[in-house]
Amino acid sequence: MDVQPMQMNNLRQVAKSQTLLLNEQSRNIEVSGREIFKFGFGQSPFPPLPAAVDALRVHAAAKDYTPVQGLLDLRARVAAFHVDAFGLRARAEQVLVAPGSKILLYTVMAAFERADVLIPAPAWVSYAPQAKLLGHTPIRVATSFEQRWRATPEAIADALRRKSDAGVPSLLVLNHPGNPDGLSYTSSELEAIARVCNRHEVLVISDEIYGLLDHRGEHVSLAAYYPERTIVTGGLSKWCGAGGWRLGVAVLPHELLGDFSETLVGIASETYSCAPLPVQMAACEAYQWNSATRDYLAHQRRVLDHIGQITARQLIKAGVNLHLPTGGFYLFPDFTPFADRLHRAGIHSSQALCERLLADTGVALLPGDAFGMAPDHLCARLAYVEFDGAHALAVSRELRLDRPFDDAASHVLFAKTVRGTLRLTQWLATL
Ligand code: PMP
Ligand code: GLU
């Protein structure tokens, strides 16, 4: 029998996520022997919390499915952790555990037949593709360098005036500390956002996955101001250095328990079933607000603050528009001051900028258009994670936390990041 090729003419428009694609591309170039500065992919450089690694080892043979919502013990710990770390009110029944927070964001969006999804620009690469996959309408909330890339209440109200249909629910995806900008909202900014969202009955997914990596340890959750309609998401990928373990959590408002939470659990049960049991057991160890966890976090923050500041200062000194980061591990350099020179060099888009930069210098950045910026806006994301996190933690622990990182240690630990940043600034200077 002749096998006829299947007609693949009705596929969805969805390319591989830019973050994951760039990671693979940089790896391929590296294999060819060229030195690559992997500032493109946002993966934590730190090893997972040792107590969690031990628990994962001990429970490696655990093989059962768990309840869809997650182990009760884990949910209770996650709730208590959010109370202790962020002062939120949360109980086990409000917590949903999943294989990564990415699928939780998708599950929350999937709870609606139709929705308008408000997404700031810039914002993390996957929110808009997820909304589109579900047939929702993504609506961009404009921000600017001058406003520290923050979504203001006015810009949110403006996006709401552009709704596809006044009758469909509005979802806002907010993220702080921010990917790609490394910046947070102040308490008064959050309060103002809460007011506008309340007025327009907006449900917010507050992606606070970098919350524990606020460099000063001063993260404030939107749920502190808008508890009734804020879903807080997070997980082990960033603060616990375990992206590949795939464990995410969502804390739902008490007010959304019932029809809404049952819809989420229904979708979860028809798609991913549950997060892996051994990883949930490991997460039980991680989600404890004890001195080991606090110490682990304090050292990560100190390291990230140090390397974030030196990298950002290097770029600002070279004339790039950039804010000093306050959390997470990203910078969002805006090369607009170099626009004339870049145009003369034939570079008219953030894609072209990143391609040329990678080819000329080996520095991998992720172009601004992946984050929803206009393609001709000459901006990109730099992830300052190109260092040995285990070594950096060990050095940080040898020093007292109240002592600054000394220059000699810093020089050894962060040489590659400094060198890559220098290549970038030298490239700009030769344009
Ligand atoms: N939100 C943001 C802002 C991120 O940077 C990431 C990174 N992967 C995620 C969500 C998803 O994380 P995960 O699925 O690993 O929990
Ligand atoms: N969050 C990471 C980033 O923004 C990568 C992981 C992912 O996209 O799932 O680079």
Side-chain angles (χ1 to χ4, degrees):
M1 187 182 73
D2 279 352
V3 178
Q4 296 300 317
M6 193 177 158
Q7 291 295 309
M8 293 293 180
N9 57 0
N10 210 7
L11 296 178
R12 282 183 189 280
Q13 290 289 309
V14 56
K16 187 179 275 184
S17 175
Q18 293 247 18
T19 50
L20 304 171
L21 188 66
L22 185 76
N23 191 36
E24 286 169 23
Q25 284 168 344
S26 323
R27 262 199 214 136
N28 290 344
I29 304 178
E30 212 174 25
V31 169
S32 75
R34 265 190 70 195
E35 187 181 31
I36 293 293
F37 299 89
K38 279 184 264 158
F39 298 157
F41 188 58
Q43 170 161 276
S44 165
F46 300 106
L49 187 73
V53 176
D54 290 344
L56 185 61
R57 199 176 285 121
V58 169
H59 297 287
K63 62 171 190 59
D64 291 345
Y65 286 87
T66 76
V68 174
Q69 211 177 331
L71 294 173
L72 180 59
D73 189 24
L74 174 56
R75 289 191 284 120
R77 285 178 196 227
V78 170
F81 192 91
H82 280 74
V83 174
D84 294 340
F86 305 125
L88 298 179
R89 277 183 296 138
R91 296 169 54 169
E93 69 253 35
Q94 291 164 250
V95 176
L96 194 57
V97 176
S101 66
K102 202 175 199 169
I103 196 67
L104 278 169
L105 302 169
Y106 191 73
T107 304
V108 171
M109 290 189 208
F112 300 93
E113 297 268 0
R114 272 184 69 201
D116 286 337
V117 184
L118 277 58
I119 305 169
W124 182 50
V125 297
S126 292
Y127 304 136
Q130 289 196 347
K132 283 191 202 141
L133 270 175
L134 289 161
H136 297 336
T137 309
I139 301 177
R140 287 291 176 178
V141 180
T143 73
S144 65
F145 168 74
E146 289 70 26
Q147 280 161 334
R148 301 173 64 254
W149 309 116
R150 295 303 83 198
T152 61
E154 295 74 26
I156 294 170
D158 175 63
L160 287 165
R161 280 192 286 275
R162 288 181 276 123
K163 274 179 72 66
S164 68
D165 175 344
V168 303
S170 307
L171 263 171
L172 166 67
V173 187
L174 210 66
N175 164 228
H176 77 293
N179 178 359
D181 46 72
L183 301 169
S184 268
Y185 289 93
T186 63
S187 293
S188 54
E189 286 168 343
L190 292 173
E191 218 173 339
I193 289 172
R195 267 198 301 274
V196 72
C197 289
N198 190 31
R199 202 173 319 126
H200 297 274
E201 297 182 18
V202 177
L203 177 65
V204 185
I205 302 179
S206 191
D207 180 346
E208 302 185 18
I209 193 159
Y210 297 94
L212 292 162
L213 297 181
D214 177 283
H215 296 169
R216 300 263 163 278
E218 291 169 359
H219 177 72
V220 182
S221 174
L222 177 68
Y225 295 98
Y226 192 45
E228 63 278 28
R229 276 195 220 102
T230 300
I231 299 170
V232 179
T233 59
L236 293 186
S237 298
K238 310 300 172 185
W239 74 266
C240 199
W245 285 10
R246 309 308 300 131
L247 189 120
V249 301
V251 182
L252 307 178
H254 179 74
E255 289 76 355
L256 293 185
L257 296 182
D259 288 350
F260 183 75
S261 59
E262 281 163 25
T263 304
L264 298 184
V265 174
I267 296 167
S269 72
E270 301 292 16
T271 50
Y272 58 79
S273 301
C274 65
L277 173 55
V279 177
Q280 291 196 48
M281 304 295 272
C284 283
E285 290 307 312
Y287 277 105
Q288 300 203 46
W289 196 239
N290 56 25
S291 61
T293 302
R294 289 199 301 268
D295 178 77
Y296 168 72
L297 282 170
H299 287 285
Q300 286 189 63
R301 287 170 179 152
R302 181 251 275 273
V303 170
L304 290 174
D305 178 36
H306 180 77
I307 181 68
Q309 297 293 311
I310 54 178
T311 310
R313 284 178 203 281
Q314 241 178 305
L315 291 167
I316 292 169
K317 203 163 148 219
V320 173
N321 277 349
L322 181 65
H323 296 283
L324 294 173
T326 61
F329 36 70
Y330 303 106
L331 302 175
F332 195 58
D334 184 336
F335 300 96
T336 301
F338 295 86
D340 287 346
R341 277 173 272 173
L342 287 163
H343 292 163
R344 276 200 299 276
I347 297 170
H348 298 278
S349 67
S350 57
Q351 285 278 354
L353 169 72
C354 293
E355 276 165 27
R356 187 78 75 80
L357 184 69
L358 182 60
D360 290 353
T361 66
V363 173
L365 303 184
L366 204 56
D369 71 347
F371 300 91
M373 301 296 284
D376 63 351
H377 195 136
L378 298 165
C379 51
R381 186 190 76 180
L382 186 156
Y384 49 91
V385 293
E386 181 68 302
F387 61 91
D388 179 342
H391 189 192
L393 275 189
V395 171
S396 177
R397 285 203 165 104
E398 271 166 33
L399 294 167
R400 282 207 339 240
L401 268 175
D402 56 356
R403 296 228 187 100
F405 239 102
D406 61 75
D407 286 348
S410 169
H411 191 71
V412 175
L413 286 170
F414 306 120
K416 188 157 185 199
T417 309
V418 172
R419 199 149 37 85
T421 312
L422 191 64
R423 287 237 190 136
L424 167 51
T425 57
Q426 283 170 343
W427 183 79
L428 289 171
T430 57
L431 283 170

